[in-house]
């Protein structure tokens, strides 16, 4: 069993979620309010480790009125246990789970960082070789009571999740901006598929303006 997974992201018209240098302020203020309303609704929110390193996000509900109990469980997919010890997601604003691959379990559990984070209340989940096994992670989260999960990127994790058939819905804010750049980061990265026949098919279920941005909602059809 797995949670219902909603991928939410903001991209430029040319499909980039960040530039090559990691600059990523894309959503307008109205869209950020929509994002925080969604954060408030879901049981958990998940990002990849590069997003934590690049943005140091809080992953809490802080742009609309809310209580501490409204914050979702924060989940970081961190294959090699690279989490910086001072990351804001390790504070006590909400529970945090860091998922690490089995190959890096012994290195991590032998480190001071692991014990400091454990003492601060951070939970760890180990599964997979080199990369985190996302199917097992989704099953673990479901068993912990997570029924809805918001996936907030980045590009590499988004592709792994859709390739593994784990995304149910996609909500995209398309900002009226063009940034270009072959090395800019796109909505889905990873290895990609080699042919359009292999592409994951979507069904557009809603679209609306949100300030200067356009929001598109899709169901994923596996
Ligand atoms: N505009 C937006 O909505 C938005 C949202 C989130 C992130 N971003 C941007 O995306 C960039 C980061 O994206 P990214 O693609 O470099 O990294 P990412 O955040 O997707 O993290 C990927 C990393 O996670 C680890 N990992 C472990 N197991 C994995 C698995 N099974 N599958 C995939 N990854 C696994 C690997 O170390 C991998 O390199 C940042 O610049 C950030 O600002 C933008
Ligand atoms: N919806 C959205 N629009 C953007 O323009 C953007 N850059 C992100 N990026 C998502 C990513 O997870 C960010 O790191 C957090 O949005 C950081 O902010 P918080 O402290 O968690 O609120 N998301």
């Amino acid at each position: 069993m797995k949670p219902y997974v909603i991928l939410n992201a903001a991209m430029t018209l040319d499909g980039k979620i960040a530039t090559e240098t990691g600059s990523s302020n894309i959503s307008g203020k109205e869209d950020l309010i929509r994002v925080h309303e969604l954060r408030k609704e879901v049981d958990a929110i998940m990002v990849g480790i590069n997003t934590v390193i690049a943005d140091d996000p809080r992953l809490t509900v802080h742009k609309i009125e809310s209580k501490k109990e409204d914050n979702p469980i924060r989940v970081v997919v961190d294959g090699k246990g690279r989490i910086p010890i001072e990351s804001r997601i390790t504070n006590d604003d909400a529970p945090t789970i860091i998922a690490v691959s089995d190959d890096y379990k012994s290195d991590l559990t032998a480190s001071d960082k692991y014990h400091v984070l454990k003492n601060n209340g951070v939970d760890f989940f180990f599964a997979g070789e080199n990369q985190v096994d996302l199917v097992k992670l989704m099953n673990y989260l479901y068993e912990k009571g997570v029924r809805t999960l918001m996936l907030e990127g980045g590009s590499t994790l988004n592709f792994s999740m859709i390739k593994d058939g784990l995304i149910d819905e996609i909500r995209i804010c398309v900002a009226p901006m063009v940034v270009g750049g072959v090395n800019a980061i796109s909505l889905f990265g990873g290895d990609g598929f080699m042919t359009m026949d292999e592409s994951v098919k979507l069904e557009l279920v809603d679209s609306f303006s949100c300030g200067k941005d356009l929001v598109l909602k899709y169901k994923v059809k596996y």
Side-chain angles (χ1 to χ4, degrees):
M1 298 292 276
K2 71 167 206 66
Y4 185 83
V5 176
I6 302 168
L7 163 63
N8 189 86
M11 68 178 197
T12 59
L13 181 63
D14 48 336
K16 315 295 190 189
I17 62 167
T19 65
E20 184 178 0
T21 64
S23 169
S24 69
N25 279 346
I26 297 170
S27 292
K29 62 179 187 307
E30 294 86 352
D31 187 58
L32 289 174
I33 288 171
R34 182 191 63 80
V35 170
H36 282 247
E37 278 162 356
L38 181 56
R39 285 182 177 190
K40 196 171 176 175
E41 268 171 40
V42 294
D43 298 323
I45 178 167
M46 184 170 92
V47 295
I49 185 62
N50 292 352
T51 297
V52 173
I53 292 169
D55 300 345
D56 194 17
R58 278 157 283 184
L59 303 184
T60 55
V61 184
H62 58 85
K63 290 198 190 291
I64 56 172
E65 207 182 300
S66 71
K67 298 189 282 292
K68 195 173 177 182
E69 309 86 80
D70 295 325
N71 289 333
I73 297 172
R74 302 172 292 189
V75 183
V76 183
V77 175
D78 180 15
K80 300 181 178 151
R82 290 187 289 141
I83 184 86
I85 197 162
E86 69 287 357
S87 305
R88 293 198 284 184
I89 49 113
T90 67
N91 67 20
D92 65 3
D93 287 349
T96 300
I97 299 171
I98 300 179
V100 177
S101 67
D102 279 320
D103 287 1
Y104 287 84
K105 182 176 183 174
S106 52
D107 283 357
L108 181 66
T109 54
S111 69
D112 290 345
K113 178 169 80 176
Y114 174 78
H115 295 285
V116 171
L117 291 174
K118 277 290 256 189
N119 283 338
N120 289 350
V122 172
D123 278 336
F124 287 86
F125 172 75
F126 297 95
E129 291 168 21
N130 193 32
Q131 299 259 62
V132 173
D133 185 322
L134 298 170
V135 174
K136 286 188 178 154
L137 174 60
M138 289 302 113
N139 188 54
Y140 171 75
L141 293 174
Y142 188 87
E143 282 173 1
K144 287 200 74 119
V146 175
R147 295 292 177 270
T148 49
L149 179 130
M150 177 177 178
L151 169 64
E152 261 205 40
S155 171
T156 313
L157 182 60
N158 290 348
F159 186 71
S160 294
M161 285 288 289
I162 205 155
K163 188 184 68 179
D164 285 352
L166 298 171
I167 301 180
D168 298 287
E169 202 181 310
I170 300 179
R171 300 185 186 180
I172 295 303
C173 159
V174 184
M177 305 159 89
V178 169
V179 73
V182 280
N183 296 321
I185 300 173
S186 66
L187 180 56
F188 291 93
D191 291 336
F193 297 116
M194 294 306 124
T195 65
M196 286 297 167
D197 283 347
E198 295 165 273
S199 64
V200 175
K201 309 301 186 288
L202 311 174
E203 181 192 345
L204 181 67
V205 291
D206 199 6
S207 62
F208 52 89
S209 294
C210 188
K212 289 182 185 159
D213 301 327
L214 171 68
V215 177
L216 303 171
K217 285 193 190 182
Y218 296 91
K219 291 266 186 225
V220 181
K221 296 165 71 180
Y222 288 111

